Amino acid sequence: MAALRLSSGLLLVLGVLSLTDGSVLLSNQRQKSRAQRDRRNIRPNIILVLTDDQDTELGSLQAMNKTRRIMERGGTLFSNAFVTTPMCCPSRSSMLTGKYVHNHNTYTNNENCSSPSWQAQHEPHTFAVHLNSTGYRTAFFGKYLNEYNGSYVPPGWKEWVGLVKNSRFYNYTLCRNGMKEKHGNEYPKDYLTDLITNDSINYFRMSKKMYPHRPIMMLISHAAPHGPEDSAPQYANAFPNASQHITPSYNYAPNPDKHWIMRYTGPMKPIHMEFTNMLQRKRLQTLLSVDDSMEKIYNMLVDTGELENTYVIYTADHGYHIGQFGLVKGKSMPYEFDIRVPFYIRGPNVEAGNINPHMVLNIDLAPTIMDIAGLDIPPDMDGKSILKLLDIERPVNRFQFNKKGKVWRDSFLVERGKLLHKRDDGTEATQEENFLPKYQRVKDLCQRAEYQTPCEQLGQKWQCVEDAMGKLRLHKCKRMASLTVAGKLGVANMKSQLYRRNSGNCDCDITDFQMSPVKRKKLFSKKKMKTNKNYARNRSSRAVSVELNGELYSVDLEDGYEPVMPRNSSKRLSEGGEEEEEDEGFSGTGSLTSSSSPNELMIPSSIKVTHRCYILANDTVKCDTDLYKSLTAWKDHKLHIDHEIETLQTKIKNLREVRGHLKRARPEECDCNKFSYQSKHKRKLKLKGANLHPFRKGQEKDKKQWQQKEQRRKKKLRKLLKRLRNNDTCSMPGLTCFTHDNQHWQTAPFWTMGPFCACTSANNNTYWCMRTINETHNFLFCEFATGFLEYFDLNTDPYQLINAVNTLDRDVLNLLHVQLMELRSCKGHKQCNPRTRNLEIGDKDGGSFDEYRQYQRRKWPKMKKPTSKSLGQIWEGWEG
C-alpha cells in the first residue's frame, strides 16, 4: 500500500515537472519569436563614410582592397556616381540638404560656407535634424564644412566631434560636443583618421548597450586623401612606383579649344611632373588608414550582431585631378576626373556583388537616408531616394503584362561658382573676351535687327554698314544716341543746377544760376587749346609703363626719377609761320621744352626704373652687369620686380575700392530735392515729396553690399600681407596659385626638390553644365560665365580631349541651352530630374516609356562632320 502511494506520488511529481518544463519551453519559444518580431520592427542603422577629394578616374580605389572586399562582395557599386559641384563645402552642403547649390547658396568654399545665413536657413533642415526628431541616435565624426569655426554644435546631432576649419591629420582642433580640444602630432593618439574611427566605434557600442532598440545614424567624415596628405608611419614606404594618375589627359596641354584657364595652362615642367608622382603616392598612403577604418567598422558590426540590420554607404565629396590637362593638382573642373566619385552601399535587401549603372548624385544621399529611416522626404529636396534601385528583383508573375521598368534620371546639373557682379547699367561684368576673330563677332552682331536699320531710330547707337571691300563694319550713330542721352539726362541736369534753398540751415552748396539764350561759348580757344596741349607735354610724368612677360604695367616713379623726351617728334609750320611741334608717338613718360626757351631742361639719357635697371633714350633696357652674369642675382631681381608689380596692382585695386565707396557714400543734400524754379519753357515746376535721389534709392542695400565687399577685401589684404611676410611671390592676377617647398610635408616621404609655384584655377571658372548618360548618348555640355561653350561626346572621346561644340547645329545648341537653363532654376525633385518630369507629362498624355525613349533619342544632339565655317561660342539671347 505504501509502495503504491509512493509510485503515485512520483508520477504526480513527474507530471508536474513535465508540465513545468513544457510551459518553460513554450515561454522560451514565445520570447524568442517576440524578440525576432521586435528585431524585424527595429529600424535599420545607417553609417555614412565620407572621404575628402577621393577620385575614381585616377585609381585611388585600387589601393583599398579591404574596402572593396567588404563593399563590393557584400553590397552594390554604382558605376555612375557624380557630384553636382566639385568643391568641398558646396558638395557637403548638398549632401546634408539634398539640394543643388543654387538652392542652398553655398557657392564656393568661402561664399556662404557655414555662414550665419547657412546656419539660419539651411542647417536646421538637414537630414540629421529629421532623423534626430524621430528617435535616431545621430553622431558626427570628422570634417564638417571648410569654414566651420567650432563655436557651436549644428542642430540634429546628439554626438558631435567636428573638425574646426579644413582637413588636417595632425595639429588640429576638434569641437567635442561644444568644447574645443587641441591635438598635437603624436601617432596614433592624434592621427585624425584613427581617432574618429575609434570614437565612432566606441559610440556605437555604448549606444547599443544603453539603448539596444534605438537605431543609430553615424557620419564618419575622413580628411583623407585631402592635403596635407600625411600618412600613418607604417605606410610611409607604400606605393613607391604609383602611376595610376598618368591617364591620356595627363599633361595634355595647352588646350586652345577649352575655356580660359585651360588655354592659359601650358605643359608641366619636370619638377611639376615629379611632384604629381609623389602627390599620388602620398594620397594613396593616407587612404590605407581609411581602408583599415572600414575593416574595423565591419568587424564591430559583426561583433555586435548589427551587420544585417545596418546600411553602410561609402562615397566622397568630389573627385580630383593630378596633372590632367597640365593642371598640377586640384578640383573644381567640370570634367570626369573631378565630378565622378566612388559610391558603395550594402545593407538589408541590397544585392551583393552587383554593379548598378544608374546615375546617382550627392544630392541623393539626404533623401535616401530619410527613406531608409522610414521618413517622408521633403518636397523641396532636389535629390531622390535610391532605395528603389537597390531592391532585389522578384520573379515576375507570368500572367502580369506591361510591367513598367524602373524610371530614373538621365541628366543632371553641374554648377560651380557664383554669378558675376553686375554693373550699374545692369549688365554682367564678363571676365573673358570672346576668342572668335573680330570679323566673326561683327558678322554675328550685324544679324540683329537693331543694327540693320539706318541711324534714324531714336536711341539707336550703332549701325551695320558694308564698306567698299565688302566687309561689314559697325558705325556709331552719334546724333541719335546723343538725343537719347539728352532726353534722359536733360531734366535731371536742370534740376541739379536749379535747386533753391528752402531752409536757412541747409547748405546745399549751389551757386545761383540763370539760363541764357545766348549760345554757349567754346570751352577753349585755339590759343588756350595750344597752351593746354603744351602743358600736357611739359607736365612731368608720375608713372612709367613697363612691359613684363607680355603684360603692360604702370609703375609709379619715385622722387628723383627724370623723364625722357620723346624721340618721335617733328615740326611743322602753323598758319602764322610759327614752328609748331607735332607729337607722332608721344609716350607720356617725358617732358619737353623748346630749345630756345629760357627754362630749358637738360634731356636725361635714361630713366631709373629700379635700383639696378634703366630705360635708355633709345627705348632699350639696360641693367647692372651683375644681373647678366649671376643667375642668383637675376632671380632675386626678377622676384623683386614681380613683387613690386603685385604691390602696385593691389594698391590700384584698393584705390578703386575707395573710389567706389566714396561714390556710394556721398552725403545726402538735406531738403535739396524739394525745389521750385522759374523756367523759360515751363512757368513752374515743383517736386513734391521727399523721395531720395534716384542714385541713392538703393543706398541701404549698397551699404550692406559694401560691408560684405569690405570684409572680403580685408581678407585678401591679410592674405597678401602674409605672402609678403613669407616672401611669397607666387601670385598672378585672376588666378588661384599655390607654392610648394621642402617644409610643406611634415611626414615621410619628404619633398626635397625645392620650391615651385603652380596655378590651378581662375576667378572666372564659373560654369553650368549638363551631364547626360542614357541608352544612346553620353555627353557633357557646359556654358561658362564668360560666354564660352564646351561639348564633349564621351562615347568617342572618353577623356574629353577635344571640344566638339563647333560640330553641333545651332538648333541643337539652342535646345541644349534651354534644357540647361531649366536645370539651373529647378527646385524640388520633380523639376530637378528631367527624365522623370518628362515621363509624368507623357503619362498624362497617355504615352508609354518606349515612346518617350524614342522621343528622347530624336531630341538628343547628333554629331556631324566639322565644317570650315565656325558657328561661334556665343549667340544672341544667351546669358552666362
Side-chain angles (χ1 to χ4, degrees), residues 752-772:
T752 59
M753 298 186 64
F756 67 87
C757 173
C759 297
T760 58
S761 186
N763 295 344
N764 60 1
N765 189 29
T766 297
Y767 54 78
W768 299 268
C769 301
M770 182 171 65
R771 182 72 174 93
T772 297

Side-chain angles (χ1 to χ4, degrees), residues 48-52 92 95 219-224 313 315-317:
L48 172 60
V49 181
L50 182 65
T51 54
D52 196 357
R92 291 168 179 266
M95 290 179 178
L219 200 165
I220 306 172
S221 179
H222 292 287
I313 304 173
T315 187
D317 56 358

